Amino acid sequence: MSRKNETVLLLLSLLITLGLVGGGALLFSNFFGKSFVGIGDRSNSTATDGTSATGKPISFGEKTLFSGKILPAKQEGIEAIAARNWSVATEKLQAALTQNRNDPETLIFLNNAKIGARKSYAIAVVVPTGTSPNGSLEVLRGVAQAQTETNQTGNINGVPLKVAIVNDNNQEDQARQVASTLVNTPEILAVIGHWASQVTLAVAPIYDEGKLVAISPVSTSVKLSGISPYIFRTVPSDYIAARALANYMLTNLQQKNAAVFFNPQSAYSQSLKSEFVTAVLLGGGKVTSEFDLSDPSFSPANSINQAIKQGAKVLMLAPNTGSSTSIIDKALQVVQVNRRRLQLLGGDAIYNSTTLEVAGDAAVDMVVAIPWDIDTDPKSQFVRQSRQFWGAEVNWRTALAYNATKALTAAMQKSATREGIQQTLSSIDFSTPGAANPVQFLPSGDSNASVQLVQVVRQVNTSTGYDFVPVRQ
């Protein structure tokens, strides 16, 4: 493929991608229920920096952290919370939720309004509402569902759970400021967050020094393992995902040579790449070449041709998500240019509707490692309840945010103090029901859970014609 054609293809996919993550996603939001309910489903909302007119990126309901046009009933409910008019706030937010049941921010604000000025236990959930609004909504759904269940079923020893939503824009400096604010806010007993691994790595020393527990449902870098007795996560580390992908390549595909595409500037991407390389080598295979997706001179066609010449039979894609779509765009270019010549593997960043829409038939048979898939146990209680809550099916970020919230409420049942929560979660016998298996933590703070491999298949009853389904091994 000529460099000119590559450029045309890249521009085409970029335009499609921008359409998907912007207003164009509204065309697909009702269909991508299983894995992608978070895409474009916020009613008439657009993203900015996620801060209010006051500039404070935190809210118990006094303001929305998703800027743009919102339902009038929701706006009236927010104003009522700010005025501490709890009955009006409850009435208006309930009306807004009836109009848009898929908005977790509204549900969290409604739950908080019902509590009003009564005694409560408070936690904060930190999400990048400004830079990744759709992913933030996915996380918030898990928190909102768990909060609602807690407050409807006896609370925490009779005390309800209040949730603050906080924006850090997935940026290290802003996240450090957020973490310091939360540490210095005694009302906050624990934190759910953050998003990118490098951001969680940046704030870990602050939570450690402030003795405030933070549970990330998204960050997977192996560098987080054991970094602090106050840092936990409900998502398996890249060590687990990389070994699952390597084992699939060596055992199922019976292939030993792979080429890897990654972003060395991302802690997650670097971690997944390194763990995959190690796992392949330990299994008797070889990584013939590594390609930098962040390199301005990166060429999908040249990279694939080089990989083929060096004997690669498998391409492993480890791009990262973030405020820029360029890394994901380049990874999808690899999928398109490859045209199913070499088998494809991928990390969880590949698991989204953009892959299905942009890559299409070129992505068929690609295997991706994710922490959880709704089709693994479609009759579970969590799956049934999530459908009732949101009117659609949810993805792994929602499930693992739900697990993080359930872990914190279970710990608060034992001791509703910062130190008590940390001691309970660190106990070797801690276990509480989660979205699928029980939520448990290793001494490193990592999740004691496995990953699920899913594969892209043709699916005629979907708007894209493709879907991710569990790999049956």
Side-chain angles (χ1 to χ4, degrees):
M1 179 179 289
S2 70
R3 191 59 178 268
K4 178 180 179 181
N5 289 338
E6 276 189 54
T7 302
V8 172
L9 191 58
L10 178 59
L11 289 173
L12 177 61
S13 69
L14 177 58
L15 289 172
I16 296 174
T17 302
L18 290 173
L20 283 169
V21 299
L26 293 171
L27 297 174
F28 308 106
S29 63
N30 291 332
F31 182 77
F32 287 136
K34 166 185 151 183
S35 309
F36 316 111
V37 67
I39 294 179
D41 54 9
R42 183 174 181 80
S43 177
N44 300 318
S45 176
T46 56
T48 63
D49 65 354
T51 58
S52 70
T54 64
K56 295 181 179 180
I58 182 171
S59 176
F60 280 100
E62 306 86 356
K63 55 183 174 285
T64 176
L65 295 186
F66 295 84
S67 297
K69 184 179 179 181
I70 64 174
L71 294 171
K74 179 174 180 177
Q75 182 59 44
E76 292 172 0
I78 289 172
E79 292 172 358
I81 287 180
R84 299 176 66 81
N85 191 334
W86 309 118
S87 60
V88 172
T90 299
E91 176 188 351
K92 297 299 182 181
L93 291 170
Q94 185 63 65
L97 195 63
T98 301
Q99 295 175 56
N100 181 16
R101 66 188 289 191
N102 205 244
D103 183 353
E105 186 186 50
T106 297
L107 181 55
I108 289 172
F109 290 174
L110 174 60
N111 289 335
N112 292 346
K114 288 179 178 178
I115 296 170
R118 291 185 292 132
K119 177 183 178 181
S120 62
Y121 295 137
I123 64 172
V125 52
V126 183
V127 283
T129 61
T131 55
S132 298
N134 297 321
S136 298
L137 290 171
E138 292 170 354
V139 169
L140 291 178
R141 286 191 186 93
V143 176
Q145 183 173 335
Q147 180 196 23
T148 304
E149 291 176 4
T150 297
N151 291 355
Q152 288 179 346
T153 57
N155 305 313
I156 304 166
N157 297 326
V159 179
L161 178 68
K162 186 177 286 188
V163 175
I165 302 174
V166 189
N167 171 48
D168 71 352
N169 276 327
N170 205 31
Q171 296 175 0
E172 294 177 39
D173 288 343
Q174 186 169 340
R176 290 188 185 95
Q177 295 175 5
V178 162
S180 295
T181 297
L182 295 176
V183 164
N184 292 315
T185 305
E187 179 183 8
I188 301 299
L189 298 180
V191 175
I192 296 174
H194 293 235
W195 184 272
S197 291
Q198 60 261 36
V199 174
T200 306
L201 286 166
V203 298
I206 298 173
Y207 291 125
D208 183 77
E209 182 177 356
K211 300 187 184 306
L212 179 62
V213 162
I215 305 180
S216 174
V218 181
S219 301
T220 60
S221 172
V222 294
K223 291 183 178 180
L224 285 166
S225 298
I227 193 172
S228 163
Y230 289 87
I231 301 298
F232 298 82
R233 47 185 169 174
T234 49
V235 61
S237 79
D238 293 323
Y239 174 90
I240 305 297
R243 272 151 183 74
L245 291 170
N247 181 68
Y248 185 85
M249 183 186 89
L250 297 168
T251 304
N252 296 66
L253 299 179
Q254 294 289 301
Q255 297 295 342
K256 291 187 176 295
N257 294 339
V260 179
F261 295 76
F262 75 111
N263 176 13
Q265 300 177 34
S266 161
Y268 156 73
S269 185
Q270 177 69 49
S271 171
L272 182 60
K273 185 272 297 185
S274 298
E275 293 301 314
F276 178 78
V277 171
T278 299
V280 169
L281 292 174
L282 290 175
K286 179 181 180 182
V287 172
T288 60
S289 48
E290 300 177 4
F291 298 101
D292 181 358
L293 292 169
S294 66
D295 187 342
S297 64
F298 173 80
S299 165
N302 291 343
S303 300
I304 293 173
N305 289 337
Q306 180 181 336
I308 292 174
K309 288 180 181 178
Q310 293 176 341
K313 300 296 182 182
V314 174
L315 304 180
M316 204 285 274
L317 307 177
N320 63 290
T321 58
S323 58
S324 171
T325 60
S326 62
I327 300 299
I328 289 291
D329 287 335
K330 290 180 180 180
L332 293 181
Q333 283 300 303
V334 173
V335 176
Q336 293 170 310
V337 174
N338 178 57
R339 300 192 306 276
R340 299 179 62 195
R341 287 175 291 172
L342 305 181
Q343 175 67 43
L344 296 170
L345 304 176
D348 59 57
I350 293 291
Y351 182 81
N352 56 62
S353 63
T354 307
T355 295
L356 303 179
E357 180 66 22
V358 173
D361 204 64
V364 169
D365 295 332
M366 177 167 60
V367 171
V368 178
I370 59 174
W372 177 86
D373 184 79
I374 198 168
D375 286 336
T376 303
D377 188 11
K379 296 182 180 180
S380 73
Q381 181 178 353
F382 169 77
V383 171
R384 293 196 309 271
Q385 291 177 339
S386 65
R387 289 185 178 125
Q388 293 173 1
F389 268 90
W390 312 114
E393 296 180 341
V394 297
N395 72 2
W396 66 266
R397 294 185 186 92
T398 298
L400 299 190
Y402 174 89
N403 284 357
T405 313
K406 297 297 281 188
L408 290 177
T409 56
M412 283 187 246
Q413 292 278 1
K414 299 283 188 180
S415 175
T417 66
R418 289 184 174 185
E419 195 63 28
I421 291 170
Q422 189 278 332
Q423 292 175 359
T424 300
L425 295 179
S426 299
S427 173
I428 59 173
D429 60 356
F430 175 80
S431 179
T432 193
N437 299 319
V439 182
Q440 300 172 316
F441 299 104
L442 300 171
S444 61
D446 292 342
S447 170
N448 186 18
S450 59
V451 297
Q452 171 69 56
L453 297 181
V454 294
Q455 188 170 36
V456 178
V457 299
R458 297 181 183 89
Q459 198 81 286
V460 295
N461 63 337
T462 66
S463 61
T464 63
Y466 306 93
D467 201 0
F468 291 97
V469 301
V471 172
R472 306 299 180 185
Q473 300 190 65

